[in-house]
Amino acid sequence: MPLLKRPIGVFDSGLGGLTVLKALHQLLPEESTVYLGDLARLPYGNKSAEVVCRYAHEAANFLLGHSIKLLVLACNTASAVALEGLQKRLSIPVVGVIVAGAMEAEKSTRNGRIAVLGTLGTIRSAVYQQALLALNPALRIVAQACPLFVPLVEEGWLQGEVPTQVARHYLQPALEAEADTVMLGCTHYPLLAPTLAAVLGPQVRLVDAAMATAQHVAQLLRTHALLAQTPQPASHACFVTDELERFAQQAERFLGHPPEGLSLCKL
């Protein structure tokens, strides 16, 4: 297959990476994609770095078998521990969600105060805090774990009294700190963006790591002269390692349409 026509590979431990996939489809509609969700072994957050690296390398090998031209680690845990190793090992560009999101947040803030929302594991790892401070040591960062956000998203409770009350609770530290930028440090969270924005008010900007990652991918494709340049329609495929029916049901909520080319696979 000609290099330019090869697909972009997107890997996540589950469903959240579909927000990155959706952003890629919106920003780069001419690009083909292959998505892999490792539902059989999620969550990754409670596993050792060694195990997560092994899983990520196995996923990369699977996607390389589909002749991808670029790999996106749409998983915070894998991005934190496996990105550097994959970048060294693979001959194609490899992108994670953490640095791209941090760069967009640092660029967005006007008062230097940024709130980071994430899962308990992501917040405890401090990966976003470290990435932000590496860009600008003068930043004031409020980090808030939001353990109820993922189940709300996966149950489809995106708006209404319950998600609003939960959001008010989790966003209180950001409001008290007068953060003008809130970083969505989990790929599930963009689905809650309307509710979060309503609680925060128009003076606070939400930074979507999924869209920031897609923008970084577009920049890399241009830099490496890898953008698809033919009018041929893009093709898309989704693979999961378990829970095919559950994934199919919930993926439509993330993508806005049923997943294309959905199949079960083994790593």
Side-chain angles (χ1 to χ4, degrees):
M1 181 186 299
L3 186 59
L4 298 183
K5 294 183 180 180
R6 292 181 182 180
I8 297 168
V10 181
F11 164 62
D12 186 27
S13 58
L15 287 154
L18 290 172
T19 56
V20 177
L21 186 69
K22 181 178 181 180
L24 287 169
H25 290 171
Q26 292 174 337
L27 195 62
L28 299 165
E30 70 284 358
E31 298 289 346
S32 297
T33 59
V34 181
Y35 183 88
L36 172 60
D38 189 13
L39 276 72
R41 302 189 291 197
L42 63 76
Y44 279 16
N46 61 2
K47 295 177 173 63
S48 69
E50 181 181 2
V51 167
V52 172
C53 284
R54 174 162 57 84
Y55 289 175
H57 281 262
E58 290 171 355
N61 288 340
F62 176 85
L63 290 169
L64 287 170
H66 290 266
S67 301
I68 60 172
K69 62 183 177 182
L70 182 146
L71 174 62
V72 181
L73 296 183
C75 169
N76 284 282
T77 304
S79 294
V81 302
L83 178 63
E84 185 177 353
L86 285 169
Q87 287 174 331
K88 289 179 178 178
R89 176 193 148 209
L90 303 185
S91 59
I92 61 172
V94 185
V95 176
V97 292
I98 294 169
V99 173
M103 290 174 64
E104 184 65 22
E106 192 275 335
K107 186 171 65 176
S108 299
T109 185
R110 299 173 300 279
N111 66 6
R113 300 177 184 180
I114 298 174
V116 178
L117 310 181
T119 64
L120 185 60
T122 296
I123 296 303
R124 281 178 175 171
S125 74
V127 288
Y128 277 103
Q129 299 95 302
Q130 292 167 6
L132 285 164
L133 291 173
L135 294 168
N136 183 352
L139 291 173
R140 293 178 59 185
I141 301 170
V142 176
Q144 176 65 48
C146 308
L148 291 179
F149 278 178
V150 168
L152 282 174
V153 169
E154 295 198 352
E155 290 299 321
W157 287 27
L158 306 180
Q159 295 181 342
E161 183 178 353
V162 171
T164 297
Q165 289 300 323
V166 173
R168 284 176 179 160
H169 172 71
Y170 288 147
L171 294 174
Q172 190 59 37
L175 292 169
E176 290 176 356
E178 298 182 346
D180 71 351
T181 300
V182 172
M183 171 90 207
L184 304 183
C186 172
T187 48
H188 279 68
Y189 295 0
L191 277 75
L192 287 167
T195 294
L196 302 182
V199 172
L200 290 166
Q203 75 282 2
V204 179
R205 182 178 179 191
L206 290 175
V207 172
D208 177 355
M211 182 54 71
T213 301
Q215 291 167 344
H216 185 47
V217 167
Q219 180 182 347
L220 273 177
L221 291 177
R222 284 191 292 268
T223 300
H224 292 272
L226 291 173
L227 282 170
Q229 296 176 347
T230 64
Q232 181 177 341
S235 62
H236 306 290
C238 285
F239 295 91
V240 292
T241 55
D242 198 7
E243 300 189 75
L244 188 70
E245 293 183 4
R246 172 175 171 263
F247 182 88
Q249 293 171 355
Q250 296 191 339
E252 187 168 357
R253 187 177 303 132
F254 282 78
L255 296 171
H257 58 77
E260 300 177 52
L262 180 58
S263 302
L264 199 63
C265 71
K266 292 183 179 180
L267 299 182

